[in-house]
Amino acid sequence: MIRENIEKVEKRISQACREAGRSREEVTLIAVSKTKPVSMLKEAYDWGCRDFGENKVQELTEKYEVLPKDIRWHMIGHLQRNKVKYIVGKVFLIHSVDSLRLAEEISKESVKKKVTTQILIEVNAAGEQSKFGIRDTEEVIRLVEQAGSLPGIAVRGLMTVAPYVESGEENRQYFQALKQLSVDIMRKNIDNVNMDVLSMGMTGDYEVAVSEGAGYVRVGTGIFGERDYGSPAGEK
């Protein structure tokens, strides 16, 4: 099942890239493996997945220890400051930085471990009360500037979690807004800041996200199957 799902997702990403006049190499597929057992991750790995996204630090670190070391781990869930020390040096990219205090903690641990941690600033593009991320544009720009000045951190771009909708087209406006915000920030030429990464789009809307410039799409259900509420290993 996983093989067929990956092939289907890859085909749809490739088609979306063609229609948008983009190269397939511009888009990285992140297999969102939160709550999924190691056996399923191994299957996805065997069929070519090298980027995996986790929501919880403990789950990420446990899988990190037992899975191949060429996997690029992405922290995509809300990150508490007291958990930062467990993932710095292990994650390829932290997608969910939404405060200066969190960025400072990542900086402190990165300096201590003599690594540079790549981060994205999380933007709440739709302004949903139930979700993390920064809603105010000026506040986003301010955090980008502040985080960019910290040692041990490289600001690579922006991330958003769009609303759950019936049709991916409904989220196009939020993907367009995130893209425009990244362009506006890039024009400011802030030191130690790049806006070459947009992490946006999930199972229900990743093709629309690709058409609007996504560099990373985060697909869980589309690869690992529907949520299983009856099993502890099911996706929540």
Side-chain angles (χ1 to χ4, degrees), residues 8-24:
K8 189 183 299 181
V9 172
E10 284 286 349
K11 187 175 180 180
R12 290 171 65 177
I13 291 174
S14 295
Q15 179 65 24
C17 284
R18 278 195 300 274
E19 291 176 358
R22 302 181 66 194
S23 164
R24 174 64 187 86

Side-chain angles (χ1 to χ4, degrees), residues 82-94:
N82 64 348
K83 301 286 181 68
V84 166
K85 60 188 174 186
Y86 300 113
I87 63 169
V88 165
K90 294 179 178 177
V91 292
F92 174 73
L93 182 63
I94 298 175

